[in-house]
């Protein structure tokens, strides 16, 4: 069809040229102009053909819309991941869209589900499953195996976190535990061995004291051993980790009552307050630890693997290690997950479902695993125990995850609100406006009100 | 509809045809104003009226975004806010605190700056422009900018304090400071709006009034009190009403700077509404907060308008 059109155009252009050629005046100019016009028309026709064929080509693909809450340095890595998948799967076009992380992200996803136009995939954190359980597709272990996801190949606790009454809600790609970041240059200067980061409270305090230095001799500390972040991420989770290390939990097993206002909870908070007040290894205020770590104002911080790519980008000398055991009973570090959810009803569209699950299985497997390994800990054991364990930055987190030193948030649909209630009261304690007992007492009251709703 | 080709005026033909079809009213002149208003009315109904009544309706239901059934619960959401919500009364207190510091300072300072900028001094055009510059910065950028400036460990302000030999302050980390800082940042960001309104008002005051006052022996203070202020009544009313409404609606400046913290010290009603609705998905109570804000703002606006109702004539 396109060829016929070109011929028609060419013919009319030629007639025009012949007519112009019969004219004595401007004979040569007209000929040139005619040729130019022909070329332009030909190019336009070819471009149109190319574009139309391109559209037809894209139209033949099954489009999978994927919303992600990730940002910052993860964006480029995730785009590469999706790019590789699209290139290796000509029949599928995964369209990745980044939305701002936070509570509002879940609001947008909820709105899209309510409006009947959700993406085929949206990723969520570990505490989100109870919020969406009624609105997403679930799988039996056999169904997952048929899709190429054999659960025995993955970190069991990660999949356990999305399991409810024998069914798995979503697919788990990665684990995001809290761990210790430390500046290896500062360790060396303080006479500490960077290959032996602190593992418990005693070692941690000993290291932190050596790393708390007045570098310019003006009588003021300008390099702190440790610092806590002035943010919801991850300070309340550090407190919870210490609580869990001492055998406590935020809620009871039935998820009906707050159980953190106990000796374990109060001791955990007092310890965090005493890093500054008693041990003098941290500044008296919470601060932006990410910037302070880059600016070399602090030697050790606790955060998740999401900071690694950013620090690597700054070409910093740093190492990572499992979160030290500050509590009395066991190692435990709060951990999130990267979970893919698929809105309920997606199965009805067989083609869309197949394309979506092809991508989801690929992302959870070695294909996506090598990209997730650059950002977080892939939940696939072969990747986790292989390249990730050898990665100098990821290995600290990987050791923690494979040794059972991590746990996931309790599965209550108001967990985000409960964390916010706890965090606001912890802030009061850190600002010196209330004692640890008062802060946790208020947080307990607020949590129980939320649970009673 | 087919218009017969009778050779008569097409408008007349249209009117005649409309009359035949029972559309006399629409074809006549009476419909014209309404047709001109129609585009606005559509926008007004869809974007203003409908959301108001929908919000009111949501506040009376147990509105779960994921559940198509929205049971009517009467005033239970309001009851929850008053007696069950752990943060509602704190938000009311914090909002009033914000309003009672933000509004008077911005009105008085706005007027003072307008009086200064109304003087015929060299470079005034530049200074007026400079004052207005912060107002055109996106509030998200303002929030992030001041988070960096006010960070206790790596912030610019503490850095300069330490260079002066002064101890670092906890700024956004200490609940004692935070609201004051939010107000200061808000003033820096948005004072230009008030200045411009007052400046416009000042430039509308006839010079003859000042001349007459001078002849009567009025000094600068007398002229300000007896001429400037009464003549600025309209501008003042506008600024005060706008500031009260704006302060109740304050969200971006506070949310971007503090997120409502620390320890809920800046968790004003709008921030609380946002978190309740879009973080915790409690749409009923969130809509109820919206209704409460609406009622308070309306009552205050009526009160302010009543205060300024007295006309001034010269």
């Amino acid at each position: 069809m396109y060829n016929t059109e070109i011929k028609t155009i060419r013919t009319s252009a030629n007639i025009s040229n012949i007519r112009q050629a019969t004219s004595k005046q401007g004979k040569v100019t007209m000929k040139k102009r005619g040729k130019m016009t022909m070329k332009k028309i030909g190019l336009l026709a070819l471009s149109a053909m190319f574009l139309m064929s391109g559209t037809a080509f894209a139209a033949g693909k099954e489009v999978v819309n994927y919303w992600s809450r990730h940002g910052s340095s993860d964006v480029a890595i995730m785009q590469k991941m999706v790019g590789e998948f699209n290139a290796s799967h000509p029949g599928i076009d995964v369209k990745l869209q980044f939305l701002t992380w936070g509570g509002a992200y879940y609001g947008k996803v909820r709105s899209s589900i309510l409006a009947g136009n959700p993406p085929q995939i949206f990723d969520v954190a570990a505490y989100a499953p109870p919020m969406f359980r009624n609105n997403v597709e679930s799988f039996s272990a056999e169904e997952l195996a048929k899709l190429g996801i054999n659960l025995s190949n993955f970190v069991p606790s990660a999949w356990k976190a999305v399991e409810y009454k024998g069914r798995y809600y979503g697919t788990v790609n990665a684990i995001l535990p809290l761990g210790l970041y430390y500046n290896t240059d500062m360790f060396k200067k303080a006479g500490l061995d960077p290959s032996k980061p602190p593992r418990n409270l005693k070692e941690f305090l000993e290291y932190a004291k050596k790393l708390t230095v007045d570098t310019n001799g003006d009588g003021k500390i300008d390099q702190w051993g440790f610092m806590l972040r002035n943010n919801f991420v991850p300070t309340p989770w550090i407190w919870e980790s210490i609580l869990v290390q001492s055998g406590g939990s935020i809620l009871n097993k039935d998820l009906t009552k707050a159980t953190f206002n106990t000796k374990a909870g109060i001791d955990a908070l007092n310890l965090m307050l005493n890093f500054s007040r008693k041990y003098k290894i941290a500044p008296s205020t919470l601060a932006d630890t990410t910037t302070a770590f880059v600016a070399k104002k602090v030697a050790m911080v606790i955060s998740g693997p999401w900071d690694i790519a950013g620090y690597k980008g700054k070409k910093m000398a740093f190492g990572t290690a499992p979160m030290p055991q500050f509590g009395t009973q066991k190692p435990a570090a709060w951990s999130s997950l990267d979970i893919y959810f698929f809105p309920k009803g997606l199965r009805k569209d067989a083609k869309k479902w197949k394309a979506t699950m092809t991508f989801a299985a690929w992302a959870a497997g070695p294909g996506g695993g090598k990209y997730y390994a650059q950002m977080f800990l892939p939940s696939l054991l072969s990747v986790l125990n292989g390249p990730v364990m050898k990665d100098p930055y990821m290995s600290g987190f990987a050791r923690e995850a494979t040794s059972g030193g991590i746990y996931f948030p309790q599965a209550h649909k108001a967990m985000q609100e409960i964390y916010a209630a706890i965090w606001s009261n912890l802030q009061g304690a850190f600002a010196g406006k209330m004692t640890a007992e008062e802060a946790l007492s208020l947080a307990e009251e607020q949590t129980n009100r939320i649970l009673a709703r | 509809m087919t218009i017969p080709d009778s050779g008569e005026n097409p408008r007349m033909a249209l009117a005649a045809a409309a009359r035949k079809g029972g559309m006399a009213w629409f074809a006549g002149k009476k419909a014209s104003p309404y047709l001109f208003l129609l585009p606005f009315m559509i926008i007004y109904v869809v974007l203003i009226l409908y959301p108001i009544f929908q919000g009111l309706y949501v506040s009376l239901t147990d509105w779960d975004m994921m559940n198509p059934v929205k049971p009517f619960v009467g005033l239970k959401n309001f009851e929850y806010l008053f007696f069950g919500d752990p943060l509602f009364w704190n938000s009311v207190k914090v909002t009033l605190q914000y309003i009672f510091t933000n509004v008077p300072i911005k009105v008085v300072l706005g007027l003072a700056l307008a009086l200064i900028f109304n003087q015929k001094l060299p470079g005034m055009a530049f200074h007026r422009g400079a004052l207005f510059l912060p107002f055109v910065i996106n509030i998200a950028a303002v929030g992030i900018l001041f988070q960096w400036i006010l960070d206790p460990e790596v912030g610019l302000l503490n850095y300069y304090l330490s260079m002066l030999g002064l101890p670092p302050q906890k700024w956004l980390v200490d609940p004692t400071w935070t609201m004051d800082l939010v107000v200061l940042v808000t003033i820096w960001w948005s004072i230009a709006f008030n200045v411009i309104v007052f400046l416009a008002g000042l430039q509308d005051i006839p010079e003859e009034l000042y001349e007459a006052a001078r002849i009567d022996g009025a000094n600068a203070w007398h002229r300000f009190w007896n001429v400037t202020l009464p003549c600025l009544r309209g501008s003042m009313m506008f600024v005060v009403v706008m500031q009260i409404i704006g302060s109740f609606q304050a969200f971006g400046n506070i949310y971007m700077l503090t997120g409502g913290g620390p320890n809920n010290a800046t968790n004003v009603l709008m921030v609380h509404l946002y978190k309740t609705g879009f973080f915790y998905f409690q749409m009923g109570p969130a809509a109820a907060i919206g209704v409460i804000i609406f009622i308070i703002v309306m009552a205050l606006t009526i009160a302010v308008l009543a205060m300024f109702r007295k006309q001034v004539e010269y």
Side-chain angles (χ1 to χ4, degrees):
Chain A
M1 184 180 78
Y2 306 123
N3 288 339
T4 319
E5 279 174 12
I6 289 170
K7 273 179 191 169
T8 314
I9 292 164
R10 194 173 288 164
T11 313
S12 63
N14 281 343
I15 291 166
S16 166
N17 281 347
I18 292 161
R19 278 180 188 160
Q20 286 161 5
T22 53
S23 167
K24 285 179 183 176
Q25 286 182 337
K27 199 174 172 181
V28 180
T29 319
M30 284 301 193
K31 264 189 180 176
K32 276 185 183 170
R33 200 175 288 168
K35 278 182 185 172
M36 291 272 286
T37 313
M38 267 184 63
K39 272 186 185 173
K40 280 180 185 172
I41 291 168
L43 276 171
L44 274 172
L46 279 170
S47 307
M49 276 172 63
F50 178 76
L51 284 171
M52 287 176 80
S53 63
T55 313
F57 186 63
K61 289 188 174 190
E62 197 60 59
V63 173
V64 174
N65 290 304
Y66 166 24
W67 286 4
S68 176
R69 73 200 189 287
H70 297 301
S72 191
S73 47
D74 302 334
V75 169
I77 299 168
M78 294 195 67
Q79 281 170 336
K80 275 186 194 171
M81 179 180 84
V82 169
E84 189 193 320
F85 175 83
N86 283 341
S88 59
H89 295 76
I92 303 171
D93 184 20
V94 176
K95 290 191 183 296
L96 173 61
Q97 194 181 341
F98 294 98
L99 282 82
T100 312
W101 182 79
Y105 170 75
Y106 296 117
K108 285 171 194 165
V109 173
R110 278 174 171 242
S111 303
S112 72
I113 292 173
L114 184 72
N117 191 26
Q120 283 72 51
I121 302 174
F122 57 96
D123 60 37
V124 298
Y127 51 77
M131 289 197 270
F132 290 99
R133 204 171 277 145
N134 296 329
N135 308 95
V136 294
E137 294 283 358
S138 64
F139 310 85
S140 66
E142 294 74 29
E143 281 172 327
L144 286 170
K146 277 181 193 167
L147 293 166
I149 300 173
N150 191 335
L151 293 184
S152 60
N153 294 334
F154 293 85
V155 176
S157 61
W159 280 83
K160 187 82 186 156
V162 296
E163 190 237 316
Y164 180 71
K165 293 185 177 174
R167 295 199 57 90
Y168 295 89
Y169 289 77
T171 57
V172 181
N173 298 309
I175 306 166
L176 294 79
L178 292 184
L180 184 75
Y181 286 83
Y182 57 95
N183 185 309
T184 49
D185 283 345
M186 289 180 185
F187 265 48
K188 285 175 196 165
K189 273 186 193 165
L192 300 166
D193 184 353
S195 65
K196 290 178 183 170
R199 292 163 299 173
N200 50 47
L201 181 60
K202 191 183 164 213
E203 286 179 5
F204 177 80
L205 292 174
E206 190 185 310
Y207 278 49
K209 273 177 190 167
K210 286 182 182 169
L211 291 160
T212 302
V213 188
D214 170 13
T215 53
N216 57 9
D218 66 352
K220 291 175 194 163
I221 303 295
D222 28 40
Q223 178 191 299
W224 291 100
F226 183 61
M227 200 180 277
L228 286 163
R229 195 170 179 213
N230 178 27
N231 201 295
F232 180 85
V233 181
T235 304
W237 303 333
I238 295 173
W239 166 78
E240 188 192 343
S241 298
I242 305 171
L243 169 74
V244 174
Q245 288 173 357
S246 298
S249 63
I250 300 260
L251 305 177
N252 61 359
K253 279 190 178 173
D254 299 337
L255 309 177
T256 53
K257 203 178 164 196
T259 53
F260 55 78
N261 187 17
T262 56
K263 186 178 180 303
I266 293 164
D267 285 351
L269 182 51
N270 273 328
L271 175 67
M272 290 169 77
L273 295 169
N274 282 335
F275 284 147
S276 165
R277 294 173 191 175
K278 184 178 172 187
Y279 303 114
K280 314 283 183 201
I281 57 160
S284 61
T285 61
L286 305 171
D288 178 358
T289 51
T290 312
T291 309
F293 193 63
V294 173
K296 296 177 183 170
K297 292 195 83 174
V298 59
M300 296 188 286
V301 293
I302 292 174
S303 187
W306 50 81
D307 281 339
I308 288 180
Y311 292 149
K312 276 165 84 174
K314 303 279 180 197
K315 296 192 167 61
M316 289 184 63
F318 72 98
T320 62
M323 182 176 162
Q325 186 185 325
F326 296 142
T328 54
Q329 295 185 15
K330 59 182 179 186
W334 181 95
S335 182
S336 187
L337 291 165
D338 189 69
I339 306 165
Y340 279 0
F341 271 173
F342 317 98
K344 199 166 236 177
L346 187 61
R347 280 176 199 261
K348 288 175 193 166
D349 185 341
K351 277 188 183 173
K352 194 72 90 185
W353 177 249
K354 193 182 171 193
T356 304
M357 295 320 297
T358 303
F359 174 67
W362 182 88
K370 68 174 183 275
Y371 290 100
Y372 277 106
Q374 296 170 45
M375 303 178 285
F376 323 120
L377 299 180
S379 61
L380 188 66
L381 286 165
S382 60
V383 184
L384 189 60
N385 289 322
V388 175
M389 222 32 123
K390 289 171 195 156
D391 183 312
Y393 305 112
M394 287 288 180
S395 58
F397 294 99
R399 288 200 304 278
E400 188 175 49
T402 50
S403 65
I406 59 170
Y407 71 93
F408 300 99
Q410 288 174 286
H412 192 282
K413 66 178 178 180
M415 211 59 208
Q416 188 166 250
E417 192 176 357
I418 291 166
Y419 277 133
I422 293 169
W423 169 229
S424 67
N425 288 295
L426 294 193
Q427 284 178 309
F430 281 111
K433 300 294 164 195
M434 53 180 90
T435 63
E437 289 83 351
E438 287 166 346
L440 292 188
S441 180
L442 273 171
E444 180 189 32
E445 185 200 327
Q446 291 172 9
T447 303
N448 283 333
R449 281 200 198 192
I450 293 165
L451 293 170
R453 194 165 54 208
Chain B
M1 183 173 64
T2 311
I3 302 171
D5 186 10
S6 60
E8 62 181 328
N9 185 329
R11 257 184 90 182
M12 298 289 284
L14 181 67
R19 270 195 296 276
K20 278 181 191 169
M23 294 172 68
W25 188 80
F26 277 104
K29 282 181 182 175
K30 282 179 184 173
S32 302
Y34 297 99
L35 288 172
F36 279 115
L37 276 176
L38 192 61
F40 166 74
M41 288 305 288
I42 291 169
I43 294 168
Y44 174 67
V45 170
V46 173
L47 298 180
I48 310 279
L49 270 190
Y50 172 72
I52 287 175
F53 287 105
Q54 179 70 4
L56 189 62
Y57 172 65
V58 173
S59 74
L60 302 173
T61 61
D62 181 8
W63 188 280
D64 182 348
M65 282 173 81
M66 313 300 272
N67 190 349
V69 183
K70 323 283 186 195
F72 183 80
V73 295
L75 296 174
K76 279 207 169 163
N77 288 323
F78 293 90
E79 188 188 333
Y80 168 73
L81 287 178
F82 296 148
F83 305 110
D85 185 341
L87 297 175
F88 175 74
W89 288 111
N90 172 70
S91 293
V92 172
K93 187 189 91 181
V94 167
T95 307
L96 292 175
Q97 192 187 341
Y98 177 72
I99 289 168
F100 283 118
T101 46
N102 188 46
V103 176
I105 293 175
K106 274 176 77 178
V107 172
V108 173
L109 189 64
L111 179 58
L113 286 170
L115 288 168
I116 294 167
F117 284 113
N118 197 36
Q119 305 301 311
K120 285 167 188 157
L121 298 170
M124 203 46 90
F126 169 79
H127 293 304
R128 282 179 193 163
L131 181 82
F132 198 72
L133 265 182
F135 195 56
V136 298
I137 302 175
N138 182 286
I139 190 57
V142 171
I144 292 165
L145 177 75
F146 276 92
Q147 271 183 2
W148 278 63
I149 291 172
L150 299 170
D151 188 274
E153 280 303 312
V154 290
L156 269 181
L157 192 54
N158 272 355
Y159 172 73
Y160 289 127
L161 285 181
S162 70
M163 287 184 77
L164 294 168
L166 296 167
Q169 300 300 317
K170 293 183 177 179
W171 304 130
L172 296 176
V173 179
D174 188 339
T176 320
W177 284 99
T178 323
M179 183 53 88
D180 299 332
L181 288 167
V182 165
V183 170
L184 278 175
V185 172
T186 308
I187 289 168
W188 174 83
W189 173 59
S190 61
I191 190 73
F193 176 79
N194 292 2
V195 175
I196 281 172
V197 174
F198 281 129
L199 208 49
L202 285 171
Q203 288 176 358
D204 267 357
I205 300 173
E207 187 56 35
E208 295 81 24
L209 295 176
Y210 290 110
E211 278 174 23
R214 274 191 209 100
I215 290 164
D216 289 345
N219 61 22
W221 170 251
H222 289 141
R223 288 198 298 276
F224 171 73
W225 191 254
N226 295 302
V227 179
T228 308
L229 263 189
C231 287
L232 281 179
R233 178 178 288 270
S235 307
M236 185 69 79
M237 182 180 75
F238 177 72
V239 167
V240 171
V241 170
M242 291 304 287
Q243 286 308 315
I244 289 173
I245 295 172
S247 298
F248 262 104
Q249 291 177 336
F251 173 74
N253 53 334
I254 297 171
Y255 190 73
M256 289 308 297
L257 195 59
T258 65
N263 195 207
N264 298 312
T266 56
N267 198 48
V268 293
L269 278 168
M270 279 306 286
V271 173
H272 189 47
L273 183 158
Y274 175 71
K275 286 183 181 173
T276 305
F278 297 99
F279 269 47
Y280 313 140
F281 309 114
Q282 300 295 312
M283 289 298 168
I289 297 172
V291 171
I292 290 166
I293 292 174
F294 175 75
I295 291 167
I296 296 172
V297 168
M298 186 179 256
L300 280 174
T301 307
I302 290 168
V304 172
L305 287 174
M307 263 175 63
F308 284 93
R309 191 169 290 154
K310 189 183 160 193
Q311 293 294 319
V312 178
E313 282 182 25
Y314 291 91

